[in-house]
Amino acid sequence: MALDHDTLKDLYRKMVTVRLLEKRVEQLVMAARIPCSGHFGLGQEAVGVGVCGPLRKEDYLFGTHRGFAEYIGKGMTPAEILTEYYGKATSLSRGRLGQHLLKPEIGVMPLPSSLGSEFGMAVGAALSSKLRGSGRVTVNLFGEGTAGQSDFGPALEMASLWRLPLIFVCNNNQYVELAHYREVVATEDIAPRAGAYGVPYEIVDGNDITLVYQATERAASRARQGGGPTFLEFKTYRRCTHYTGDPGGYQPKEEIAAWAQKDPIDRCRRLMMAQGLWTAADEQAMLEAVSAEIEAAVQFAEESPYPDVSTIYEHIYA
Amino acid sequence: MALDHDTLKDLYRKMVTVRLLEKRVEQLVMAARIPCSGHFGLGQEAVGVGVCGPLRKEDYLFGTHRGFAEYIGKGMTPAEILTEYYGKATSLSRGRLGQHLLKPEIGVMPLPSSLGSEFGMAVGAALSSKLRGSGRVTVNLFGEGTAGQSDFGPALEMASLWRLPLIFVCNNNQYVELAHYREVVATEDIAPRAGAYGVPYEIVDGNDITLVYQATERAASRARQGGGPTFLEFKTYRRCTHYTGDPGGYQPKEEIAAWAQKDPIDRCRRLMMAQGLWTAADEQAMLEAVSAEIEAAVQFAEESPYPDVSTIYEHIYA
Amino acid sequence: MSRRITFIQAVREAFQEEMRRDGSIIILGEDVRKGVFATTSKLVDEFGPERVINTPIAESAIVGAAIGAAMTGLRPVVQIMFSDFTYMAMEMIANQAGQWHYISDGVLKTPMVIETPGGARGGAGYGHSQSVEATFIHPPGLKVVAASTPYDAKGLLKSAIRDDNPVLFFEHRRLLTQRGETPQEEYTIPLGRADIKRKGTDVTVVAYSASIPKALIAAERLSQQGIEVEVVDPRTLVPLDKETIFASLQKTYHLVVVEEGRRRGGFGAELAAIAVEEWFDYLDAPVQRLGGLDAPLPYSPVLETACLPSADDIVHAVLRSLGQEV
Amino acid sequence: MSRRITFIQAVREAFQEEMRRDGSIIILGEDVRKGVFATTSKLVDEFGPERVINTPIAESAIVGAAIGAAMTGLRPVVQIMFSDFTYMAMEMIANQAGQWHYISDGVLKTPMVIETPGGARGGAGYGHSQSVEATFIHPPGLKVVAASTPYDAKGLLKSAIRDDNPVLFFEHRRLLTQRGETPQEEYTIPLGRADIKRKGTDVTVVAYSASIPKALIAAERLSQQGIEVEVVDPRTLVPLDKETIFASLQKTYHLVVVEEGRRRGGFGAELAAIAVEEWFDYLDAPVQRLGGLDAPLPYSPVLETACLPSADDIVHAVLRSLGQEV
Ligand SMILES: Cc1ncc(C[n+]2csc(CCOP(=O)(O)OP(=O)(O)O)c2C)c(N)n1
Ligand SMILES: Cc1ncc(C[n+]2csc(CCOP(=O)(O)OP(=O)(O)O)c2C)c(N)n1
Ligand SMILES: [Mg+2]
Ligand SMILES: [Mg+2]
């Protein structure tokens, strides 16, 4: 079944925003305007955006370090992201978070520096929803490398035991830093590990935004109906290097080229065009609008002041 | 196929030793002669004893806190065990280890206080055997509750990835302290979790010493041939309470009674008698010999001095 | 009305009263329903299995779950069966629980308590006997409580549960079955307020948890020699009530600090450092710092005891402080 | 022959020389083959994938595997990509690696090194920037190294690899690309020997790792005011070379201690405590203890810098120590 038109257009625009924003952030990091390194997800935008598509504003998202897609997907704006990356006083955290984007108001929950430390936290958020009957769903997004981390098993165990409204989403982009994932992951697929804990799973083409959306929608509705957790593994591919400081070279050119053919944004655009929902003029207008939004955000971030040093003494304890 | 007669008799004697020794230790704990609490495995003796049966002296064993069966199985003597439990100067560790039995000479490796901390260590021992081509096999024994611990998944991952000569042995005795295991374990079986990491597994009746022995033998020979890890889950039942301070009462009487029917020692004795290997007189003689060995060990431990307090300053650093 | 109840009962009452008052409090831990060490036992009968939750054996993920729950509106209490195992959750406690309030600029809160019995009591061995509380002084954003009496335990635990920060509540196993006067009426003790367990004028002995009974015995003995020791129990290591300790030092000019945790990098290090930085003019003699031997704890009770400071050691430290010992 | 090489090159050379010397040394860690921070990069070309092993992302199990390997005849080096993540392996490091030698009565040995870069260098954020080394002073059986120059790094790392105990080898990211004279010839520096980075007579400044360059800047400035600071770099926090520090104090009678890790319960606490216990008569003034703010590290470089002691802060601390500041 196809997604409704507005949904598709919205997802498309978000994917494009992610792509343009990532490129812009890369420039700004390289130009030393942004002090952190950047982790980008060229070619895997459909996962984060598609997963957030069927979520409600109040649903909880634990996203990733390569997470522009899910943060934009969940509703953060380029300005919110850029001011954090710049470390400016106008950011939601007044310069404290950097890459660790957070906006609990719209369900964007902590991104721990230490990969895997979100597993327990996501269980806790889901437990909290369940006990309070809030109807909220929690999504825990992570890479296939992170699935090797210690608290992965306990999180599956608890989610399964307590039938938590928790969706595990493994973004399998086939690389773990500078190595192909099979150098450090024992199996082709991660999802059957969830099955062994009694958590139902699906393995889905992560470059097809419709499939990503729909799989997540099924999982979310199961969760809301008290059916417990689901594990989704999305197969995709990282067409860029690990981070801005990584010269790359370890990904076969043919592999990259083959996946470029499956680019999720191109696929979505072709689909919309084939359905007559989208024209070259729409594309042009949208690109301009998104670019303008990003440029305005860059300018805002650039012009924003750094936080006052005296703020470091605030909120040490609650 | 049946085990050869001497092997069977040896395993039987070891199981009986475990049972009598546990009973004696219990008395000594209750009488405050032994300062630690005791964790016993009434009815599950076939697992530890049977697993150690096919192992070589130099193979590594990471045993459990409820591990009389595997420590006797691997060749520790009642005197070695009792002097440690008493904390006497004549123990291998001169009073330092207590329940954390250790005898690297015969492959008895650390039993960490913290459940699950042996997972990584067992991987390391197996990695070491593999890299040095020592031909040694490592057995990592743990309970079904401990399988929920964080480093369980990473250990499976590493063992699978690196094809380590490592046998994971889950002693599923159906209780995790004071609760039935299904209160804290999401699935009936643990072993399929290993399968999901690419580790072959078997689920075996843990009260049949022959089956335990043979499954381990298969796994050990696979490991020695470079075939990598195996996961064995032995189904058994703990007919005693969690530890000496536990009044019990949470295990249904009928459940205990049903499992008493499947007692591994009775089964082994019946088998040997049916095969004409064992007579009532043999039984009597063996019981006397084992009791005498245990009593001699108790007396030795009782009469041994406590370690000299000045020894506390030794071996702080290597 | 006051009764003599055990430390365990005091802790249990604190849970019970707070859980009645506030439906967002839940307890998570291994076997907390039956309660291996009884501080939580039978609470499940009153509050149900949804609020008293037996978990898998996975300390790190349990604490992680508590953090997630705390950030989303619950007030979880985690029981870690032996305080040695807090190290399994070090990442979650020190890198996550204590940090998100600050780095979120105050947006997130993590109101949670980690209740954890520990300490040496003979025969439990190296990894079931340690006093590890000093480890948690160093990371940011945490509070650390270590009560020495049932009265203090109850009042402090209630405050810990109401606190909006992660609080580690260390219990010493040797104290758990000790009894003490504890009012039936509601009371709380603020975190960060020390208590003078014995008044004195000659030497200030700062001790906490199971070192308090030893310090009091030492004080009795010293009193017979005409030396009046003031025993100050900080009760919370973070935040630390420096004022009360300083006030005592201003009388005595002599400081002894005692803990069962290892000496190197322990609580005593921090206190002695504060003394030499901030109270330099009030030190008439070197600070005497007593703590556990800087080694693993051996099992045999004769050895274990020898690794820990005794009442005698405190007596000697006080005498040394006064220059009365060679 | 000596060349100016970077800290990274010095560390890499230490690995290379030791791995050539001893076939039982292996390196385990995340992406150690390519080497994200280059200290291990290309070692795999010489020593093969069996000795330079890329692991899954599972710090606790990696350290656990190193312990098991160390107990059975290998000498593993574990790289933990950011020292903040050592907390994920706290159980394995503090409860296991450091304890089995002692409780086995010397039967087991755990010769292993944990090499881990860390510290703040602007823009990495709360959990990729901490200096956590002080945490590891407290648990037993561990050694803790924190070198400040390529020369020291190489010589100390070689000793650490040869040591039969678990050694934590902390590197500061701000130093990694710094260059320094390093001999081509084989040399080692024993663990537990401090180095005087600058001679002076008026105040002893004890600093280590990335605080050394700051201390030297401060010393230069103070020298222009006629104050000669002696900068002592302990280089290993455990074991600590108390003799060298004490010898300096016997000249200066004034002690300042500087670290980038948080102040509360930090290395400075331990050193100040030693001073007030053992060197009381050689303190003419309060010890000045500088360290990171007792809060999480904020991301924005302007904030991060403000949380750490600066050369200016050291100047002021020295002046305070000499009573020359209000
Ligand atoms: C505990 C921990 N170890 C290591 C790192 C460093 N690190 C950052 S990204 C990364 C690779 C993650 O791979 P994967 O989970 O597949 O996610 P991807 O980067 O492919 O999105 C690593 C090891 C970290 N942040 N946390
Ligand atoms: C990390 C850790 N958590 C908790 C405990 C306390 N504990 C001792 S035995 C046990 C239950 C273990 O259950 P299982 O793994 O099934 O083994 P069994 O006791 O049934 O043999 C627990 C929780 C411990 N020793 N270590
Ligand atoms: Mg990946
Ligand atoms: Mg069990």
Side-chain angles (χ1 to χ4, degrees), chain B:
Chain B
M1 253 210 13
L3 296 182
D4 84 66
H5 298 169
D6 286 347
T7 301
L8 199 61
K9 282 184 192 168
D10 178 56
L11 296 173
Y12 179 68
R13 185 192 170 107
K14 281 177 168 162
M15 288 198 290
V16 170
T17 304
V18 171
R19 186 158 296 178
L20 297 182
L21 180 60
E22 286 192 355
K23 245 184 230 143
R24 195 69 175 95
V25 170
E26 183 169 21
Q27 289 163 0
L28 293 164
V29 171
M30 300 317 262
R33 300 301 310 159
I34 283 178
C36 63
S37 60
H39 298 85
F40 308 116
L42 181 67
Q44 52 181 69
E45 296 86 351
V47 177
V49 171
V51 161
C52 291
L55 298 187
R56 299 185 186 152
K57 180 180 162 202
E58 67 271 21
D59 289 337
Y60 297 120
L61 168 77
F62 289 83
T64 72
H65 59 286
R66 204 179 296 291
F68 289 90
E70 54 263 25
Y71 300 121
I72 291 287
K74 197 73 173 66
M76 287 191 83
T77 65
E80 285 168 347
I81 295 174
L82 283 163
T83 48
E84 292 289 9
Y85 271 61
Y86 269 87
K88 292 295 181 78
T90 50
S91 67
L92 294 172
S93 74
R94 290 193 302 171
R96 294 180 176 200
L97 283 166
Q99 295 182 71
H100 305 96
L101 300 178
L102 179 82
K103 194 178 179 191
E105 248 180 274
I106 58 166
V108 176
M109 298 299 288
L111 164 62
S113 269
S114 319
L115 295 171
S117 291
E118 69 283 7
F119 287 125
M121 289 161 76
V123 164
L127 179 64
S128 176
S129 299
K130 177 161 181 185
L131 294 184
R132 290 178 301 132
S134 75
R136 296 187 186 188
V137 161
T138 297
V139 167
N140 180 0
L141 240 160
F142 51 88
E144 81 286 5
T146 304
Q149 190 54 282
S150 294
D151 282 350
F152 177 74
L156 288 169
E157 184 106 82
M158 292 178 187
S160 178
L161 259 177
W162 301 331
R163 288 181 84 76
L164 298 181
L166 177 50
I167 309 175
F168 294 93
V169 178
C170 180
N171 180 330
N172 189 338
N173 67 1
Q174 304 188 44
Y175 278 82
V176 176
E177 289 198 351
L178 318 186
H180 188 268
Y181 80 109
R182 294 308 305 281
E183 200 172 325
V184 292
V185 174
T187 53
E188 170 87 15
D189 300 325
I190 304 294
R193 299 177 186 187
Y197 282 89
V199 175
Y201 65 86
E202 295 186 45
I203 298 176
V204 178
D205 177 353
N207 280 22
D208 182 330
I209 188 98
T210 306
L211 297 180
V212 173
Y213 185 101
Q214 291 172 334
T216 312
E217 198 171 37
R218 280 190 295 279
S221 85
R222 169 187 290 140
R224 282 192 229 285
Q225 286 157 27
T230 305
F231 192 104
L232 303 173
E233 177 169 354
F234 295 113
K235 301 288 194 184
T236 183
Y237 187 85
R238 185 192 86 197
R239 292 199 335 258
C240 53
T241 62
H242 167 45
Y243 76 116
T244 38
D246 169 11
Y250 46 83
Q251 291 170 274
K253 288 212 182 66
E254 316 71 56
E255 194 180 72
I256 298 177
W259 279 90
Q261 296 301 313
K262 304 186 226 172
D263 185 72
I265 294 182
D266 292 347
R267 265 163 91 173
C268 186
R269 190 187 329 97
R270 282 199 300 270
L271 176 74
M272 293 197 303
M273 286 184 157
Q275 294 185 353
L277 305 175
W278 199 248
T279 64
D282 291 335
E283 179 76 9
Q284 189 56 30
M286 197 262 299
L287 286 176
E288 275 165 24
V290 170
S291 299
E293 186 189 3
I294 291 172
E295 288 316 309
V298 171
Q299 198 181 334
F300 175 66
E302 282 279 345
E303 289 169 359
S304 292
Y306 283 104
D308 193 301
V309 159
S310 69
T311 61
I312 61 173
Y313 302 104
E314 296 169 18
H315 300 302
I316 294 182
Y317 284 95

Side-chain angles (χ1 to χ4, degrees), chain D residues 282-301:
Chain D
Y282 297 86
L283 293 175
D284 272 3
V287 174
Q288 301 292 327
R289 183 164 57 125
L290 298 181
L293 181 69
D294 288 313
L297 277 170
Y299 161 82
S300 192

Side-chain angles (χ1 to χ4, degrees), chain A residues 153-168:
Chain A
L156 288 169
E157 184 107 80
M158 292 178 186
S160 178
L161 260 176
W162 301 332
R163 289 181 85 75
L164 298 180
L166 176 51
I167 310 176
F168 294 93

Side-chain angles (χ1 to χ4, degrees), chain C residues 215-255:
Chain C
L216 293 173
I217 292 169
E220 270 313 308
R221 280 193 213 151
L222 286 158
S223 179
Q224 286 156 22
Q225 301 178 229
I227 297 165
E228 292 306 330
V229 160
E230 179 140 305
V231 177
V232 182
D233 181 353
R235 302 194 291 199
T236 63
L237 309 186
V238 181
L240 183 64
D241 180 355
K242 294 200 286 191
E243 290 66 32
T244 301
I245 299 171
F246 184 38
S248 178
L249 192 63
Q250 284 172 301
K251 288 191 300 191
T252 66
Y253 291 81
H254 290 84
L255 181 61

Side-chain angles (χ1 to χ4, degrees), chain A residues 124-145:
Chain A
L127 179 65
S128 175
S129 298
K130 178 165 180 177
L131 295 184
R132 290 177 300 134
S134 75
R136 295 188 188 189
V137 162
T138 297
V139 167
N140 181 0
L141 239 162
F142 50 88
E144 80 287 5

Side-chain angles (χ1 to χ4, degrees), chain C residues 2-322:
Chain C
S2 172
R3 312 98 350 121
R4 285 184 68 75
I5 60 174
T6 64
F7 201 112
I8 290 176
Q9 285 169 311
V11 167
R12 207 178 159 282
E13 281 187 8
F15 284 140
Q16 197 168 34
E17 291 176 15
E18 293 303 301
M19 289 178 83
R20 283 180 187 159
R21 193 185 51 76
D22 182 348
S24 69
I25 299 166
I26 62 169
I27 299 185
L28 289 163
E30 296 159 18
D31 256 330
V32 287
R33 287 179 184 148
K34 298 236 166 48
V36 176
F37 298 108
T39 56
T40 58
S41 63
K42 302 233 175 81
L43 291 175
V44 68
D45 296 343
E46 178 172 352
F47 302 104
E50 297 236 307
R51 291 184 65 194
V52 183
I53 305 176
N54 275 4
T55 63
I57 305 171
E59 281 72 9
S60 172
I62 300 167
V63 174
I67 296 171
M71 286 174 171
T72 55
L74 298 181
R75 302 185 84 84
V77 174
V78 171
Q79 186 181 74
I80 300 282
M81 202 178 280
F82 285 82
S83 64
D84 313 67
F85 309 154
T86 54
Y87 283 178
M88 303 190 102
M90 183 75 180
E91 155 70 17
M92 298 314 302
I93 298 170
N95 278 345
Q96 307 305 332
Q99 305 215 18
W100 280 94
H101 177 65
Y102 183 85
I103 59 163
S104 71
D105 200 39
V107 170
L108 290 174
K109 290 200 174 72
T110 45
M112 57 186 277
V113 173
I114 297 179
E115 180 222 0
T116 184
R121 38 109 209 222
Y126 86 102
H128 281 81
S129 306
Q130 299 172 95
S131 292
V132 299
E133 61 281 348
T135 310
F136 299 94
I137 294 175
H138 185 53
L142 307 172
K143 296 188 178 181
V144 181
V145 180
S148 67
T149 66
Y151 175 83
D152 288 351
K154 183 170 175 185
L156 290 165
L157 181 52
K158 287 169 68 92
S159 295
I161 292 171
R162 296 180 194 186
D163 200 280
D164 275 342
N165 300 284
V167 182
L168 289 118
F169 187 87
F170 287 94
E171 298 160 345
H172 198 294
R173 276 182 207 290
R174 285 206 315 278
L175 299 178
L176 281 177
T177 49
Q178 303 285 310
R179 286 177 188 274
E181 287 296 325
T182 314
Q184 205 124 37
E185 302 75 41
E186 158 89 7
Y187 70 99
T188 59
I189 299 172
L191 307 185
R193 186 115 18 114
D195 185 45
I196 304 210
K197 293 295 187 214
R198 184 187 205 282
K199 285 221 161 278
T201 46
D202 300 328
V203 175
T204 299
V205 173
V206 176
Y208 63 88
S209 187
S211 298
I212 286 291
K214 290 178 194 171
L216 293 173
I217 292 169
E220 270 313 308
R221 280 193 213 151
L222 286 158
S223 179
Q224 286 156 22
Q225 301 178 229
I227 297 165
E228 292 306 330
V229 160
E230 179 140 305
V231 177
V232 182
D233 181 353
R235 302 194 291 199
T236 63
L237 309 186
V238 181
L240 183 64
D241 180 355
K242 294 200 286 191
E243 290 66 32
T244 301
I245 299 171
F246 184 38
S248 178
L249 192 63
Q250 284 172 301
K251 288 191 300 191
T252 66
Y253 291 81
H254 290 84
L255 181 61
V256 172
V257 48
V258 191
E259 68 198 304
E260 286 206 2
R262 296 179 184 101
R263 213 176 87 104
R264 191 176 60 221
F267 168 72
E270 177 61 23
L271 185 63
I274 291 171
V276 70
E277 267 187 308
E278 303 179 23
W279 307 330
F280 190 73
D281 293 337
Y282 297 87
L283 292 175
D284 272 4
V287 173
Q288 300 292 326
R289 180 163 61 123
L290 299 179
L293 180 69
D294 288 311
L297 277 170
Y299 162 82
S300 192
V302 293
L303 300 181
E304 185 182 275
T305 305
C307 291
L308 306 175
S310 64
D312 261 1
D313 293 332
I314 300 173
V315 167
H316 292 303
V318 167
L319 294 176
R320 263 198 315 278
S321 171
L322 293 169

